[in-house]
Amino acid sequence: MNTKNCFKHMAALLAMLLVGLCAAPRARAQSADGGNIYVRVFSFDSEIKEITNGLVLLNSSNIETFFNSLENRYTLSTKPGTLLYRAVQTGLSVLKADEMRLPEDIVAVNLITFTDGIDQGSTTPGLAPVPGYLSGDSLARMTPEESRDYIKRQLNTLQVRGKPITGYSIGLMGTDVDPANQHLFSDNLNAFNSEEKNFDERQSIDQIRENFREIGGRLFEQTRESIMMLDIPAPNPGTRVRWTFDIERGNNSSAVAAGSRRYLEGDFDYDANDYPLLKNIRYGGDIQSAQYYPGSTVTGKLNGMMVQFEFSQFSGANDTDIVREWLQISGSNSWQANVEFVKNATEIRQEIHRSTVIYMVLDSSMSMGRENIERIKDSVAAALEPFDIRRGTPPRERVSQPERVRAPSNNLPNYVFVDFAPLLAGVLSGGFGIGFGYERAFVDPFSIAFYFDIMGVSGSSSLFAWDILIRPRWYPLKSAVGKWYLGAILGYGMLIEEDYYSSTTSAFTVGLETGYKFVFGHFGLEPWIGYTLGSYGGFKFGATLGFVW
């Protein structure tokens, strides 16, 4: 076989590999269509532990598993230390790293932090990098103020699926906090929330459960999208129409209508194609539609003499409110009550179909005490109560997705890499070499890598070799940063030698390998060693460098 034919074979194989990589599954969670709840929980003391063992799509089929994990893994520490800053940094880092595994329809991303003390140990030099997106950042040698500023900055700037992270902080100052350091405790809580109303410093453990439940209620409302439908007889063009939500029936005073604090109004008209319009929209009080900003125009539907307007992402009212319609004729300053306007002309429909993300970072340090640990477990359950995920019942339609959404053990599902082993071997032989591949997670803790390498040496004799391999891997430690893996090497290779005559050796390749993956932000470094059987098998080793996402 001549050199030209060798390159033809290698080019064809390279094209096949690229096609395979392009067809590889993308790192994107299936879009939810039922108000799904994605949960991940960490605890912290002298170390940071994962309670949920990955990102969980919570539903009625796995709710018991979730609470069993909480019961068995969220336990009181027996060692001193409170890695508070590091724990919140971890929560933010992993939350951002999980981004591509979350659906695009998420309406809100939330991080809830609970603590009873101040930080002890997060700024110690020499600690391993936190897993995930912020693994390149270190809190080493930072002052408490610098640590808080760093966390606040990340909380205010990081986004997940285009949504900001909403931080909630709940604190119950423990007896181990010196009164002289009380300001540090309050300053910490303030750094972990995204707005003032999300900051709660409680004096009693009994108040914590209600606090968690209140936050859960707020998060549940995020998943509900209300749509208000208005069916009315078409007014005359130029008429201003007001719908009020705070005036009892029977009170038809124009002054009362003008003084309403909760209302929606607009100017009725038609466009050039006779579509009904409600122009110059205005809201009063908490009534609003996120779809239509003040001053915008709503296009309605005309059915005979009836007009229908629809306001999606509607908030501030529900179907129990009394809705009244008022008309202000063009050129008049008084409001006329439409006494024929009836309740069934208005429908405020609430649909639960948007997903929310809830990450929790919970203190488990020695100062908590066993009783308080149990109270916090109850509080976590209280936070999920509003979502009404019933235990022991068939999964509801809105949580019908697969039970668990997991990343590979390196926390980011994709790894594209270059292997230095064939490059080094080629250079040392006076020729060339390159190896590259793509690793993709499919079921945690397993992944699969597609790999291709070539090496060539020219001189008095020529040598070419290539391999195309599939390398399935198992990460037994299930660590968030990848760490150690065991894998198989499966594929096909060819060795072509040209001297006075040509010889070709081809064989199926079977072998085992092990390696250790280091992840620094979005970059990976992976030394590995393996052994293969076959015509030119034996011990092999190398190191890959690549991009993780």
Side-chain angles (χ1 to χ4, degrees), residues 44 84 111-117 167-173 185-186 188-190 192-193 197-205 207-216 218 360-363 368 376 379-380 383:
F44 65 93
L84 174 59
L111 178 66
I112 303 173
T113 302
F114 168 77
T115 183
D116 83 328
Y168 296 86
S169 55
I170 306 172
L172 176 70
M173 190 167 69
F185 181 71
S186 299
N188 287 341
L189 294 182
N190 189 54
F192 306 151
N193 72 79
K197 70 178 182 179
N198 297 345
F199 164 30
D200 286 284
E201 184 176 342
R202 298 297 186 176
Q203 304 300 318
S204 166
I205 189 66
Q207 297 173 309
I208 297 296
R209 187 180 191 279
E210 188 56 37
N211 203 181
F212 267 86
R213 195 182 192 290
E214 178 186 339
I215 291 174
R218 279 194 252 171
M360 298 186 189
V361 179
L362 308 175
D363 196 336
M368 281 282 294
I376 296 303
S379 298
V380 171

Side-chain angles (χ1 to χ4, degrees), residues 227-235 241 243 264 266-270 275-279 281 291-292 297-302 306-312 325 345-347:
I227 301 175
M228 187 175 79
M229 312 282 291
L230 290 169
D231 292 283
I232 61 172
V241 188
W243 292 273
L264 160 65
D267 298 318
F268 184 80
D269 205 348
Y270 294 96
Y275 283 99
L277 304 175
L278 199 62
K279 302 190 298 185
I281 295 294
Q291 183 182 15
Y292 300 108
T297 297
V298 182
T299 301
K301 299 175 182 178
L302 190 62
M306 298 298 292
V307 175
Q308 182 183 83
F309 291 108
E310 179 178 311
F311 295 83
S312 64
E325 184 184 59
T346 308
E347 180 185 5

Side-chain angles (χ1 to χ4, degrees), residues 195-463:
E195 50 185 298
E196 189 173 348
K197 70 178 182 179
N198 297 345
F199 164 30
D200 286 284
E201 184 176 342
R202 298 297 186 176
Q203 304 300 318
S204 166
I205 189 66
D206 296 325
Q207 297 173 309
I208 297 296
R209 187 180 191 279
E210 188 56 37
N211 203 181
F212 267 86
R213 195 182 192 290
E214 178 186 339
I215 291 174
R218 279 194 252 171
L219 303 188
F220 175 63
E221 287 302 319
Q222 295 172 345
T223 69
R224 299 165 68 89
E225 179 178 308
S226 296
I227 301 175
M228 187 175 79
M229 312 282 291
L230 290 169
D231 292 283
I232 61 172
N236 293 322
T239 300
R240 188 155 191 83
V241 188
R242 171 176 283 200
W243 292 273
T244 61
F245 300 83
D246 57 356
I247 300 176
E248 296 290 335
R249 299 192 186 281
N251 190 341
N252 299 327
S253 166
S254 174
V256 172
S260 171
R261 294 180 179 275
R262 300 175 62 231
Y263 63 84
L264 160 65
E265 69 179 41
D267 298 318
F268 184 80
D269 205 348
Y270 294 96
D271 67 9
N273 297 312
D274 291 332
Y275 283 99
L277 304 175
L278 199 62
K279 302 190 298 185
N280 192 25
I281 295 294
R282 293 200 309 176
Y283 303 106
D286 57 352
I287 304 296
Q288 65 174 323
S289 167
Q291 183 182 15
Y292 300 108
Y293 56 87
S296 63
T297 297
V298 182
T299 301
K301 299 175 182 178
L302 190 62
N303 183 14
M305 63 168 290
M306 298 298 292
V307 175
Q308 182 183 83
F309 291 108
E310 179 178 311
F311 295 83
S312 64
Q313 301 178 50
F314 185 78
S315 61
N318 56 56
D319 209 34
T320 63
D321 285 324
I322 298 174
V323 185
R324 301 283 307 278
E325 184 184 59
W326 308 78
L327 306 175
Q328 191 176 82
I329 308 302
S330 178
S332 172
N333 292 323
S334 64
W335 290 103
Q336 174 68 44
N338 181 3
V339 295
E340 296 180 354
F341 183 82
V342 293
K343 170 130 179 110
N344 59 12
T346 308
E347 180 185 5
I348 301 176
R349 184 173 69 246
Q350 289 186 319
E351 298 178 352
I352 304 174
H353 68 278
R354 306 178 77 186
S355 301
T356 191
V357 180
I358 306 173
Y359 277 48
M360 298 186 189
V361 179
L362 308 175
D363 196 336
S364 57
S365 56
M366 290 178 64
S367 60
M368 281 282 294
R370 296 188 186 282
E371 182 179 351
N372 285 351
I373 289 287
E374 297 304 315
R375 296 284 192 93
I376 296 303
K377 292 177 184 177
D378 290 340
S379 298
V380 171
L384 298 175
E385 279 178 13
F387 294 93
D388 192 26
I389 305 174
R390 295 185 174 88
R391 304 189 190 189
T393 60
R396 289 153 50 152
E397 181 180 356
R398 68 184 180 91
V399 287
S400 59
Q401 301 298 318
E403 173 177 323
R404 198 173 282 272
V405 182
R406 291 190 176 181
S409 299
N410 66 358
N411 196 46
L412 297 171
N414 301 275
Y415 181 44
V416 172
F417 58 87
V418 173
D419 192 348
F420 293 119
L423 177 64
L424 180 63
V427 171
L428 291 177
S429 303
F432 70 92
I434 188 170
F436 57 94
Y438 167 79
E439 180 184 4
R440 163 70 180 167
F442 60 101
V443 178
D444 190 33
F446 298 99
S447 72
I448 189 166
F450 303 90
Y451 178 82
F452 179 77
D453 68 22
I454 58 175
M455 189 181 77
V457 179
S458 296
S460 58
S461 63
S462 299
L463 178 147

Side-chain angles (χ1 to χ4, degrees), residues 107-147:
V107 65
V109 182
N110 308 279
L111 178 66
I112 303 173
T113 302
F114 168 77
T115 183
D116 83 328
I118 57 178
D119 186 89
Q120 298 180 54
S122 290
T123 61
T124 304
L127 295 178
V130 298
Y133 184 78
L134 301 176
S135 62
D137 295 351
S138 172
L139 302 177
R141 299 183 180 87
M142 283 190 182
T143 65
E145 183 178 7
E146 290 171 337
S147 299

